Structure formats: structure tokens, C-alpha cells
Amino acid sequence: DIDPTRLPEDPELVRRSQESSRLHLVFLEGAACTGKSMMCKKLERMGFCVHYENFVELCQENPHLSPQSVTLSLKWMHNLQCSIEKFWKMHAENPEAFRHNVVFLDRSFYSPFIYNAARGPTAEMAASVRGSFGGAIMNELRHIANASVIFCESDPYAINVRLRQRFDASPEQTKSVRKLLGELDMGTQTRTAEIYRDLYDGGLMDARIDTSVPKLGLLSLLGLLGVRFAPTVMPWTKAEVPKTTKTAAS
């Protein structure tokens, strides 16, 4: 068992959440199936405000556009920016509506450029994200707005199991989009993970959490932000905890 009152805090992330005059934007970043959306659902059930990325749905609404197209990336970023501005307006009118002064966002402006970079020359992958339009937006948000980026990283075996389970459970139209995104391609997975690690090591993300077991990842996330709670309020049943972690020895 984990005592949530003794989880490690990040002083800077705690300070940002306590800055009541400005809403703390917490972007959850990481490769596909690292538990971001799952944690957002749990956070929403705990009373936090969240934003879901919905990129696959956007692809389905625009079948004439490739998932890798600049136009689709722009549409996705526009939706994200509109949501951020909506949250800012809501916070200005009623800051008490945001539990712990935080909104959690599933992915950031980095995402479309990370996935496009994963298909380019290996040596230039992370550099292309840093120099991208999305990288510039995130740099502004992290230094001008009250924003943080949390890197969600999972065991590769856990990711593969979740990706396959999600793909098998998807309708055919969704499967077509996920194939175009290369979600089940091991090379794409490896390159994407490498980009995320390079961006984190390069200081473009504020903290890293292990989401191999999403429940523990959620506990770590809230601990970093200084959110204290009783274990009984965690919206997770024992049956919901995925048992997908596999050690290198096994």
C-alpha cells in the first residue's frame, strides 16, 4: 500500500498550483497507451477539470486529410488552444470551479510534431520538435503562462499490451486511423519513445512519472502537485488496475 500523504512533491509544481491568480495548466505527455487518457478519466471522477485530446475522432471527421497532414495538426492545435482559452475564462469568472487550481490536458502542442518527427531522420527527430511551431507555443506557455508538462513513461511491454487490446476493441474505421498512425509499428514506437526521452532530458518537460501501472502513476502525479487525499477517495477498483507490467528478466 502507498501512503498518499508521503508521496514526493515537486516544489515548483506545488507553487504553480498554489498561484491562485493564474490557473495551472498541466499537460500530460507521452507515447500512445502510456495511461494519459485513463488517468484523465480518473481525475475527472475525482472532481478535477480535464481536456481530452480526441485526435482519432478528428481524423474520422476529416477522412479526406491524412493523419500526418499539416492541416489536421492545425485543426487539432486550434481545438486545444480554444479549450485553454475557455478554461482561462472560466477561471477568471469562478476560480473555485477548479479543484486545486489545476486543469489536466491530455497531450500538448508537442504531440503532432513528435509523431511526425518519428517518421523522419533519426538524428534530427528531437531537434525538429524543439524548432517546430508546437515547440514554440509550448515554450511560451511554460515561460509566460502558468503551465507544466508531465512526461508519462511506461514499460514497453505494458504499452504493447494496451495498444493491441485497444486496437482489437476498436471499430473498423478507428482501426484504419490507428494503422495510418503506425501505433502497432515497433519502429515507430521505439522512435517516439526516444524523442520523448530526449525532450525530457533536454528540459522541455517539467517532471516524469512511471505510468506502467496507471494507478501508481496517478498517485505520483497528484503527489508531485502536492495534492493530499484519503486513499478511499481514489476512483479505482482493484479489478481496474491493469496487470501488464513485465520485467526485463521475465
Side-chain angles (χ1 to χ4, degrees), residues 212-229:
S212 299
V213 178
K215 179 179 181 179
L216 301 183
L218 179 58
L219 287 168
S220 297
L221 173 63
L222 294 176
L224 287 173
L225 297 171
V227 179
R228 298 306 178 209
F229 50 89

Side-chain angles (χ1 to χ4, degrees), residues 113-132 191-192 194-196 198-199 204:
F113 298 94
I114 288 173
Y115 281 88
N116 284 337
R119 295 171 176 81
T122 303
E124 303 172 6
M125 292 190 301
S128 68
V129 176
R130 292 189 189 93
S132 68
R191 290 189 295 274
T192 301
E194 181 181 332
I195 295 172
Y196 274 111
D198 286 348
L199 294 177
L204 274 70

Side-chain angles (χ1 to χ4, degrees), residues 55 58 65-79 109 111-113 116:
F55 184 72
L58 185 64
L65 296 174
S66 164
Q68 290 82 35
S69 72
V70 175
T71 302
L72 199 60
S73 294
L74 184 60
K75 281 177 172 286
W76 185 86
M77 290 192 294
H78 172 74
N79 291 343
F109 292 100
S111 283
F113 298 94
N116 284 337

